[in-house]
Structure formats: structure tokens, C-alpha cells
């Protein structure tokens, strides 16, 4: 523990030094508001540093161990080759693609505008090109409970992706973000993303995290999301990073009246992953559905932290995270639903369930309801168990091999989450990936996280009625 | 002989449950096994189907000319042994359709056949569901999840009809059924009964045997078959009660 604290201190100093010597470049395009936010965050980061494992929300989280001190700060003007062989098998899904390499926008047009007013591209370019729009939303979702990772991101961010869907516009095609880590030298990447849906807007967004090779890296991404009145966002997060990459994926969502947020975080692979999802239900009628699935093995670690804040009456939140843990993998589920005084008629449901395949795999589930209103419907539950042996025998008695019976049970467990993917072509791919992952056939990809163009023959059937 | 069990001894967790059981079943026959609770009827079914934890300490189970002791449960199933479970298991997330198709294709693969064409499969589902009078909607429901006791038992018979076993063991499929459901289950069995297959019907009550007429009735007590006879033995048992068996075996 001491060593880690010491190392996190070293990393803290390294980051502060980096800021000092690159301040001009980092802040070159800042609006006055962004500059103020940077300074405040920097001050906090200087004072408090990174969280440690003694803190409530970071207990048992191994992500802090990733702060080992040998990071390279990526040069801000680093150019990334489009020459790198890259193919994304999900691309034929007819999506708008945004590509980030080491957290920096990569491509020719750094800001793409559509006839309907929609804008996608680089966060930095958006800040430069549309300072008014940018300032109206940037920094407006930040959760009250901040920490060193959020602060250092706000202080040091350089780029990321930006998506703007104006009032009354329904995005025609899903936006797909592909993030590659070109990690020859162990970078510490600060990515800053901003997604804005104005009133009555709607968008489906696919956000993939993956890595080029087996080098290690630490990614600290922060995504701010504003969802206006009656607007609707479906956000799919796919994580298939290598075992040496550590990832902090933090999201802060602010929802207005009758808005809908549906999120599905599917973690296939990754050495250490921490997902933070803060949802603020700021106006009546808002609804958040937050789903997650994690399939971890070896020594992998995943940690999902969810905070849903019911600030006003008549909002709904539904959270369901499921995991399958093999070998010596470990997982933390930290779910916190807060119902403010007066937030009557709140409906909040939270559930975490896990299948543990070996005695050495570990789950630490901490669901937490904090309720200050009396006319609410709130529930939480967790369950952890092994594969059902009765069901195993029942299936074998019908002629199904042990291996396929296992697969069927695990897939059925996982499909309860992937069934919530509202893009059918994508759901099909994801289901295929889940099966391959469960069979140990899915590797973290060198070219693309979604190398799914070669479906194999499976020994069990897929429900046609589900496809 | 289709099934020939010789001097079978089975222990669970070191405790001997079956204590030298003999049973021979020919193709085309229906055998009823009766006996008080806890005598080892379900244990016998588990031993024949190869359930883990049921240790065969002595004896042999011959099926289609092979001693199947040591064969995996799925291989036994694919060789044509089917068990209608006393307590059918719920499998959330797995639809009956998916389950049956996987099972049928497993058997076809075992026999070196190609997977069943979808059209044939769906037609078969329809036919067999009609036979046990279950609605088609059932196929998209998860296996046994939220089923009533009667639905679970009908679903077992439906699966039996789909898989067309050579040897079907029905473990108290009649328990807890009302007369209607009982009739449907019995009809299913009678419908499937052919000269080249056999049924072992474990039951507590003689009433099932009004619908399924057995060729032989065996009475089990304390891990053995203690009395065998024709269908009239069931009536005699009904009349005199199990006490009669217990007394004569003291
Ligand atoms: N899984 C088990 N573990 C330990 N004992 C068992 C188990 N299953 C059955 N038994 C015991 O074996 C005996 C026979 O049980 P069973 O075969 O279920 O009887 P029946 O089906 O005739 O009612 C009973 O004494 C029962 O308690
Ligand atoms: Mg029994």
C-alpha cells in the first residue's frame, strides 16, 4: 500500500511537471471558461493527488496499482499514421466513424458538419471552432464527488471526441468511435469527450476501446454527456483492451426532462478496467437504463462504479450489471443510488449478478441505496454463484455435451445484457463475440477490437426469434 | 435385451443406497417400478443416466449390448436413454426451442448426421407440442421457468417425443398431476410406445397404470427389487399397502 501511495505521488509530480512545461501548448485553444476549469482542477490535483485504496469508492479497486510511475507523456503534436494497418469489422455496419489514436483525433477533417446541423469530430477543434456552443455545455456535468483522475483529466486534457446533435435532430446513422492506443512507450493518455444532445434530439453511439499491441498503457478518459428535454441517447461501450492496459472510463451524464439514456458497457478483455458512470437525473420524467456485462479471466480486474442521482420526483433508473469471472479474475461492483429529499415517485432498481467459475475468482459487490424520500420504489440485489449443476446435468441428459451445456448457460446469462442492444446488426456481432470470448477464442485484437467477419461454426443454436 | 442391470450397488457420499438390484427390460416392454419413498427409485434412474456423485461400487448396467458404466451422461442420452425428471430443472435464458434444437443436433452429430433443417425442426416442434397439448407459445419461453407443476411434466413428455428415445425412464411424472394432465402424459407414452423401444415408469400410485398398462410391475424396497409380477401386482399393492412388502422383507 505504501509503495503504491509513493508511486502515485511520483506520477502526480510527473503530471504536474508535464503541465508546467507544456502549459502553453495544452491551453493554446482554451476558452476563458475552459481555462478556469483547468486551473481549478489543477489546484485540486496538486492538493489531493490520486485517490488511494483506503477511500470508500476505491476500496478493492486495483486501478490505483496502475500508477506505477514509468509513464511517458505523449507529445502534444504527435502525428499518428493513418498508415497503420487498420480494419474495423464493425465498419460495414453503416456508421459515422470517429477515430482517436492515443486520445487524439486522427483523420483528415477534424470537425465534420452535417446538413441537419449535427457536428462530430475532435473536442479540441470543436472548442476552437464553436466556443459559444462548447462553453454552454463543457464542464456542466461534473459530479460533485470528484477525484484525482477526473481532476487531472480536466487539467491536462488535450483532445478527444465531440458529438453535437442539435434540437429536433435524430442522427441518421449511429456514430462509432474507435480508440486505438499506439503504445510503443507506455503512455498516460487523458482523453476528453463531450456529447451534446439538445432537446428532442436522438443518437446511437458506439464507443470502442482497444489497443494495438501488447504494450502497457494507462488511459484516463472522461466523457461528459448532456441529454436535453425529450432527447434520447443509446450509448454502447465495448472494451477489448490487452492485459497490460489499464483503463479508466469515466462518464458523467446530465439528463433533462423526459430524456432517456440507455447505456450498455460490455467488457470483453482488459488488464484493469474501472468504469465510472455518474448519472444526474435533473428534471422530471428522465429515465436511465444502465447495463453492463464483464467477462474476465486470468488476472484481469474490473471495477464498475455507478452513481445515480435522483434529484427530482418522477424519474426512473434501472441498473443491471452481470459478470462471469474465470481463473483468478476479480471484480468490484459499486452501485450507489441517491434519492434526494422530495424526489417522490422515484423508481430505482439496481442489480448485480455474477457467475464465478473457479474458487480463486473474486467479486466484491457493494450495492447501496441512499433514500431521503418516502414515496419511492427502490430495490437492489446481488447474487453470486457457480454454474447451476442441476441445469448442467439436465442438459447433458438431453444429449448436450458438458462443454456446450456450460456455454449455453453462460451465454444465456450474458445475453440478458446484450439483448438490450438496440442496433440489431451490432447485437448479432456482440453475441458472436460473447460466444467466442466464452470459448476463449476472442483475443484482444491487434488491428481491431471487432474482428468479427469470420464467424465460426457453433455447436449450439441461437434463438432465431431473438435475432 | 435392451437394458440389463446386474447386481447394481450404488452409493451416494459413501452411503449405500442401491444394494444389489437386478432388472431386465426388453424392447417393446413397459415396466413399472413402485415402492415407498426413499427406497432408491430416483437413485436407480440417476445411475442409469450417469449422474455425477452416484458411485457404482459393484455391478453392471448393460444397454444395447454395452456396459455403460463410466459412459458420460450425454453419450448415454445420445445412445437413446431419456429421463423424465422427477423435478424438472429451470434454465433461465435458454428457450425451449433453442434447447431442443441443440439437443437434437447433438444426437444427430453423435450419429454422424447433419443438423436438422429448420423447416423440419419447426414442423416437428409443432407436431409434438400438439401431442402433449401444450401451446405453441411455449417454444419461446425459457426451459421450465415459471411453469406450473403440470406444465413441467408435460414439457418432459414433449422433450421425450422430440428425442424419440429407445429407453425412457419416467420418474414420478404422474406426481401432482390432475386427471387431465395425467391422461395427456399417458397418451404421450402410449403414442410413443413401439415394438423397438421400452419404458420404465417409476410411480407411487397405481392410478397412472390405469392409463399406461405395464407388462411388468416391480416393487422396490431398501435398494432392491423385492417383488416382480404382472400388472395385477400393482392392484395388489394398492390394496395391501407397502406395509405388506415391508413386513414380508423383515
Ligand atoms: N444427493 C443425495 N445425497 C445423499 N443422499 C441422497 C441423495 N439423493 C438421495 N439420497 C438418499 O438416498 C435414498 C434414496 O433416495 P431416492 O432414490 O430419491 O428414493 P426414491 O426415489 O425411491 O424416493 C434416500 O434415503 C435419500 O435420502
Ligand atoms: Mg424419487
Amino acid at each position: 500500500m505504501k509503495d503504491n501511495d509513493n508511486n502515485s505521488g511520483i506520477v502526480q509530480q510527473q503530471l504536474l511537471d508535464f503541465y508546467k512545461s507544456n502549459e502553453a501548448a495544452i491551453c493554446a485553444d482554451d476558452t476563458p471558461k475552459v481555462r478556469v476549469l483547468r486551473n481549478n482542477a489543477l489546484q485540486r490535483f496538486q492538493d489531493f493527488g490520486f485517490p488511494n485504496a483506503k477511500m470508500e469508492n476505491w476500496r478493492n479497486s486495483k486501478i490505483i496499482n496502475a500508477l506505477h510511475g514509468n509513464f511517458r507523456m505523449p507529445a502534444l503534436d504527435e502525428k499518428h499514421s493513418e498508415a497503420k494497418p487498420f480494419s474495423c469489422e464493425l465498419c460495414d455496419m453503416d456508421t459515422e466513424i470517429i477515430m482517436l489514436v492515443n486520445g487524439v483525433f486522427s483523420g483528415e477533417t477534424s470537425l465534420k458538419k452535417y446538413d441537419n446541423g449535427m457536428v462530430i469530430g475532435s473536442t479540441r477543434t470543436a472548442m476552437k471552432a464553436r466556443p459559444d456552443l462548447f462553453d454552454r455545455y463543457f464542464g456542466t456535468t461534473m459530479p460533485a464527488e470528484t477525484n484525482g483522475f477526473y481532476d487531472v483529466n480536466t487539467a491536462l486534457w488535450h483532445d478527444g471526441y465531440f458529438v453535437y446533435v442539435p434540437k429536433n435532430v435524430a442522427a441518421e446513422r449511429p456514430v462509432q468511435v474507435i480508440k486505438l492506443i499506439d503504445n510503443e512507450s507506455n503512455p498516460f493518455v487523458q482523453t476528453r469527450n463531450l456529447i451534446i444532445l439538445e432537446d428532442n434530439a436522438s443518437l446511437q453511439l458506439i464507443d470502442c476501446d482497444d489497443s494495438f499491441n501488447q504494450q502497457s498503457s494507462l488511459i484516463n478518459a472522461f466523457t461528459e454527456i448532456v441529454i436535453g428535454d425529450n432527447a434520447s441517447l443509446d450509448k454502447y461501450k465495448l472494451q477489448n483492451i490487452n492485459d497490460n492496459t489499464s483503463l479508466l472510463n469515466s462518464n458523467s451524464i446530465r439528463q433533462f426532462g423526459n430524456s432517456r439514456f440507455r447505456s450498455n458497457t460490455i467488457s470483453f478483455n482488459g488488464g484493469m478496467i474501472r468504469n465510472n458512470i455518474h448519472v444526474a437525473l435533473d428534471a422530471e420524467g428522465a429515465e436511465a437504463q444502465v447495463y453492463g456485462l464483464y467477462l474476465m479471466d486470468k488476472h484481469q480486474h474490473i471495477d464498475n462504479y455507478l452513481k445515480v442521482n435522483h434529484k427530482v420526483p418522477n424519474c426512473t433508473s434501472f441498473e443491471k450489471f452481470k459478470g462471469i469471472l474465470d481463473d483468478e479474475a476479480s471484480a468490484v461492483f459499486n452501485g450507489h443510488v441517491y434519492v434526494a429529499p422530495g424526489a417522490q415517485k422515484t423508481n430505482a432498481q439496481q442489480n448485480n449478478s455474477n457467475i464465478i467459475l473457479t474458487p480463486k475468482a473474486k467479486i466484491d459487490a457493494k450495492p447501496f441505496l441512499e433514500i431521503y424520500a418516502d414515496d419511492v420504489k427502490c430495490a437492489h440485489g446481488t447474487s453470486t454463484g457457480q454454474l447451476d449443476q442441476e441445469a448442467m446435468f439436465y442438459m447433458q441428459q438431453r444429449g448436450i455435451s458438458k462443454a456446450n451445456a456450460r456455454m449455453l448457460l453462460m451465454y444465456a446469462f450474458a445475453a440478458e445484457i446484450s439483448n438490450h442492444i438496440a442496433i440489431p446488426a451490432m447485437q448479432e456481432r456482440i453475441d458472436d463475440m460473447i460466444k467466442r470470448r466464452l470459448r476463449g477464442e476472442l483475443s484482444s485484437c491487434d488491428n481491431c477490437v471487432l474482428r468479427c467477419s469470420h464467424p465460426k461454426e457453433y455447436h449450439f443454436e441461437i434463438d432465431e426469434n431473438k435475432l | 435385451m435392451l437394458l440389463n442391470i446386474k447386481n447394481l450397488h450404488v452409493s451416494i457420499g459413501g452411503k449405500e443406497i442401491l444394494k444389489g438390484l437386478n432388472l431386465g427390460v426388453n424392447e417393446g416392454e413397459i415396466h413399472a417400478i413402485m415402492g415407498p419413498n426413499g427406497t432408491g427409485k430416483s437413485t436407480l434412474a440417476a445411475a442409469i443416466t450417469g449422474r455425477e456423485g452416484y458411485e457404482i461400487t459393484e455391478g453392471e448396467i448393460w444397454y444395447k449390448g454395452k456396459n455403460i458404466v463410466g459412459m458420460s451422461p450425454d453419450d448415454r442420452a445420445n445412445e437413446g436413454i431419456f429421463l423424465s425428471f422427477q423435478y424438472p430443472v429451470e434454465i433461465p435464458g435458454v428457450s425451449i426451442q433453442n434447447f431442443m434444437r441443440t439437443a437434437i443436433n447433438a444426437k444427430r452429430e453423435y450419429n454422424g448426421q447433419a443438423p436438422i433443417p429448420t423447416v423440419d425442426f419447426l414442423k416437428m416442434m409443432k407436431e409434438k407440442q400438439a401431442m402433449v397439448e401444450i401451446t405453441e407459445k411455449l417454444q419461446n419461453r425459457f426451459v421450465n421457468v415459471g411453469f406450473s407443476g403440470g406444465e413441467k411434466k408435460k414439457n418432459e413428455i414433449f422433450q421425450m417425443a422430440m428425442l424419440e428415445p429407445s429407453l425412457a425412464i419416467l420418474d414420478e411424472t404422474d406426481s401432482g398431476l390432475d386427471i387431465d394432465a395425467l391422461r395427456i402424459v399417458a397418451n404421450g407414452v402410449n403414442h410413443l410406445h413401439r415394438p423397438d423401444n421400452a419404458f420404465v415408469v417409476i410411480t407411487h400410485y397405481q392410478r397412472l397404470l390405469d392409463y399406461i398398462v405395464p407388462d411388468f410391475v416391480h416393487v422396490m424396497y431398501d435398494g432392491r427389487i423385492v417383488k416382480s409380477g404382472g400388472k395385477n401386482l400393482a392392484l395388489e399393492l394398492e390394496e395391501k399397502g407397502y406395509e405388506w412388502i415391508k413386513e414380508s422383507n423383515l
Side-chain angles (χ1 to χ4, degrees), chain B:
Chain B
M1 204 174 275
L2 183 64
L3 176 72
N4 193 1
I5 298 176
K6 296 181 190 167
N7 188 31
L8 185 65
H9 290 254
V10 175
S11 296
I12 309 171
K15 185 183 160 210
E16 184 161 76
I17 309 292
L18 297 188
K19 304 170 179 173
L21 183 140
N22 296 289
L23 177 68
V25 177
N26 287 303
E27 275 137 348
E29 293 176 350
I30 297 179
H31 290 241
I33 296 181
M34 305 183 75
N37 263 330
T39 38
K41 300 184 298 295
S42 294
T43 303
L44 173 62
I48 297 171
T49 51
R51 185 160 192 160
E52 222 170 282
Y54 290 73
E55 197 197 345
I56 295 174
T57 53
E58 213 184 318
E60 290 157 12
I61 305 174
W62 290 84
Y63 171 76
K64 287 186 177 170
K66 271 186 257 186
N67 184 357
I68 58 169
V69 171
M71 191 187 270
S72 72
D74 42 307
D75 283 352
R76 294 184 204 208
N78 290 325
E79 287 285 348
I81 298 177
F82 179 91
L83 172 62
S84 167
F85 282 65
Q86 183 173 0
Y87 305 108
V89 184
E90 299 186 3
I91 316 179
V94 178
S95 73
I96 292 182
Q97 175 166 333
N98 191 12
F99 182 49
M100 274 298 97
R101 192 156 156 162
T102 308
I104 281 173
N105 283 339
K107 185 170 184 172
R108 291 176 70 105
E109 191 183 320
Y110 187 86
N111 293 325
Q113 293 169 296
I116 187 168
T118 305
V119 182
D120 297 1
F121 173 75
L122 293 175
K123 190 166 154 248
M124 191 172 168
M125 287 277 289
K126 216 172 197 168
E127 271 171 32
K128 308 296 182 186
Q129 280 171 332
M131 193 188 94
V132 291
E133 299 177 25
I134 50 183
T135 59
E136 273 179 56
K137 269 185 288 179
L138 204 71
Q139 66 194 36
N140 294 331
R141 286 179 56 189
F142 297 147
V143 178
N144 294 321
V145 177
F147 286 25
S148 70
E151 280 175 327
K152 282 182 182 168
K153 295 301 174 77
K154 282 199 277 181
N155 187 33
E156 295 291 287
I157 300 302
F158 161 72
Q159 292 176 46
M160 179 173 83
M162 291 291 288
L163 295 167
E164 299 182 331
S166 312
L167 173 68
I169 304 160
L170 277 64
D171 191 356
E172 298 206 24
T173 302
D174 54 329
S175 294
L177 294 189
D178 60 26
I179 272 300
D180 262 0
L182 192 69
R183 185 184 45 76
I184 290 167
V185 164
N187 277 349
V189 171
N190 291 329
H191 200 86
L192 294 168
H193 183 210
R194 290 195 316 238
D196 65 343
N197 62 21
F199 290 81
V200 174
V201 181
I202 297 169
T203 180
H204 226 61
Y205 312 100
Q206 118 80 22
R207 67 172 190 166
L208 178 66
L209 305 180
D210 289 339
Y211 299 90
I212 301 173
V213 184
D215 300 296
F216 299 95
V217 174
H218 309 277
V219 183
M220 248 184 100
Y221 182 68
D222 193 23
R224 287 186 202 94
I225 288 176
V226 294
K227 205 168 178 56
S228 295
K231 64 177 186 225
N232 289 332
L233 180 57
L235 292 167
E236 199 176 346
L237 207 57
E238 176 96 336
E239 211 170 287
K240 299 184 179 168
Y242 287 122
E243 291 309 310
W244 164 59
I245 296 295
K246 288 184 194 169
E247 278 157 30
S248 55
N249 275 284
L250 281 176

Side-chain angles (χ1 to χ4, degrees), chain A residues 223-238:
Chain A
T223 306
E224 285 195 81
I225 301 173
V226 181
I227 310 176
D229 284 341
N230 282 310
S232 164
L233 173 65
D234 288 356
K235 182 171 183 284
Y236 303 106
K237 182 81 184 171
L238 302 187

Side-chain angles (χ1 to χ4, degrees), chain A residues 388-391 393-402 404 408-409 411-413 415 419 459-466, chain B residues 49 51-52 73-74 77-78 81-83 85 89 91-95 97-99 101-103 105-106 109 140 144 156 159:
Chain A
D388 182 353
Q389 291 307 305
E390 295 284 319
F393 179 68
Y394 189 72
M395 291 199 249
Q396 283 178 269
Q397 210 302 303
R398 299 305 185 240
I400 300 167
S401 71
K402 198 171 191 168
N404 281 339
L408 264 176
L409 284 185
Y411 173 71
F413 180 82
N419 281 347
H459 296 291
F460 65 93
E461 303 295 327
I462 302 163
D463 279 6
E464 271 96 47
N465 48 301
K466 273 199 210 142
Chain B
T49 51
R51 185 160 192 160
E52 222 170 282
D74 42 307
N78 290 325
I81 298 177
F82 179 91
L83 172 62
F85 282 65
V89 184
I91 316 179
V94 178
S95 73
Q97 175 166 333
N98 191 12
F99 182 49
R101 192 156 156 162
T102 308
N105 283 339
E109 191 183 320
N140 294 331
N144 294 321
E156 295 291 287
Q159 292 176 46

Side-chain angles (χ1 to χ4, degrees), chain A residues 259-456:
Chain A
S259 64
R260 198 186 67 164
F261 174 58
R262 282 206 300 199
S263 142
N264 207 324
T265 303
I266 301 193
S267 311
F268 288 112
N269 205 75
M272 275 182 221
I273 296 176
R274 162 101 177 193
N275 293 309
N276 296 310
I277 303 179
H278 297 262
V279 179
L281 301 166
D282 270 13
E284 292 200 27
E287 182 192 312
Q289 296 176 26
V290 187
Y291 298 102
L293 173 69
Y294 42 95
L295 309 172
M296 297 287 130
D297 62 8
K298 292 170 278 187
H299 285 89
Q300 296 172 356
H301 176 76
I302 182 143
D303 178 358
N304 286 297
Y305 173 84
L306 309 179
K307 170 80 186 273
V308 177
N309 196 342
H310 282 263
K311 293 186 175 171
V312 296
N314 292 311
C315 290
T316 302
S317 66
F318 188 83
E319 297 158 46
K320 196 176 187 79
F321 273 66
K322 295 181 96 174
I324 301 177
L325 303 171
D326 201 353
D327 302 329
E328 296 181 39
S330 58
V332 176
F333 174 81
N334 218 319
H336 184 177
V337 173
Y338 175 87
V339 180
Q344 305 298 4
K345 306 284 180 200
T346 287
N347 183 355
Q349 313 291 324
Q350 185 187 76
N351 187 280
N352 173 237
S353 47
N354 300 279
I355 291 178
I356 303 273
L357 296 175
T358 69
K360 284 192 167 165
K362 268 211 307 251
I363 168 75
D364 180 14
K366 290 175 281 192
F368 178 36
L369 299 177
E370 190 182 0
I371 303 170
Y372 298 102
D374 49 15
D375 184 15
V376 298
K377 213 171 103 187
C378 295
H380 69 70
T382 63
S383 71
T384 296
Q386 285 140 6
L387 281 180
D388 182 353
Q389 291 307 305
E390 295 284 319
M392 285 290 294
F393 179 68
Y394 189 72
M395 291 199 249
Q396 283 178 269
Q397 210 302 303
R398 299 305 185 240
I400 300 167
S401 71
K402 198 171 191 168
N404 281 339
R406 263 173 74 97
M407 279 296 299
L408 264 176
L409 284 185
M410 290 194 288
Y411 173 71
F413 180 82
E416 202 199 332
I417 298 299
S418 62
N419 281 347
H420 290 284
I421 296 172
I423 305 172
M426 179 175 166
Q427 194 195 331
E428 202 174 324
R429 305 288 175 88
I430 298 299
D431 281 342
D432 179 59
M433 288 176 79
I434 290 171
K435 283 170 201 158
R436 280 196 286 159
R437 178 67 175 100
L438 294 174
R439 284 183 184 281
E441 291 169 359
L442 182 74
S443 54
S444 69
C445 306
D446 292 335
N447 285 331
C448 169
V449 61
L450 297 168
R451 269 191 100 75
C452 6
S453 67
H454 315 293
K456 298 209 173 78

